[in-house]
Amino acid sequence: MIAVFLTFLLPTQALAFEPITNRDAFVNLLSDRALTRTGITLDVTPDGMIRGRAFGVRVSGEWQWRDGYFCRTLFHGPRDLGANCQLVQVNGNTLRFTLDKGAGDYADLSLR
């Protein structure tokens, strides 16, 4: 219900996410910025590292850009979240990461 309500309040272009299709564009967006969401702060570095914290627990991993997708391995503390290639889209200061090359669930993170 809230999502339907917000749709009427926001202009159409405010809801549009544009795909990021190459590594350089992705790295440029993240330059000296962290990805954040309530309880989560992540640094995704140009050299392929992921570091940060999520709800008080250390997050670590590695990433590479492959065939137009952000492909990562990720650990939340000792828990292995596995490998996944994700569609990345941008809307202003929000990056949307959609699992399974765009076919799965997504998470929106803010650039700070």
Side-chain angles (χ1 to χ4, degrees):
M1 179 71 166
I2 291 175
V4 172
F5 178 71
L6 290 176
T7 301
F8 291 108
L9 294 178
L10 299 172
T12 303
Q13 55 222 105
L15 298 175
F17 278 84
E18 297 295 323
I20 298 172
T21 58
N22 68 68
R23 183 188 187 284
D24 290 340
F26 179 73
V27 169
N28 285 337
L29 277 172
L30 291 169
S31 180
D32 297 321
R33 299 169 88 180
L35 290 170
T36 65
R37 185 173 164 163
T38 302
I40 301 171
T41 301
L42 299 173
D43 289 316
V44 178
T45 66
D47 65 349
M49 301 304 295
I50 302 170
R51 296 183 287 263
R53 296 192 75 71
F55 304 101
V57 177
R58 183 176 176 258
V59 173
S60 63
E62 297 179 359
W63 73 273
Q64 60 182 304
W65 200 264
R66 193 171 40 218
D67 299 325
Y69 297 98
F70 171 81
C71 297
R72 58 87 176 139
T73 58
L74 201 62
F75 288 85
H76 182 233
R79 185 172 166 221
D80 184 352
L81 301 178
N84 195 275
C85 290
Q86 303 173 4
L87 172 67
V88 181
Q89 298 170 287
V90 62
N91 181 347
N93 284 324
T94 302
L95 287 184
R96 175 170 286 173
F97 292 82
T98 307
L99 295 170
D100 305 325
K101 295 183 176 180
D105 293 333
Y106 69 86
D108 290 344
L109 295 123
S110 297
L111 289 163
R112 302 270 184 229

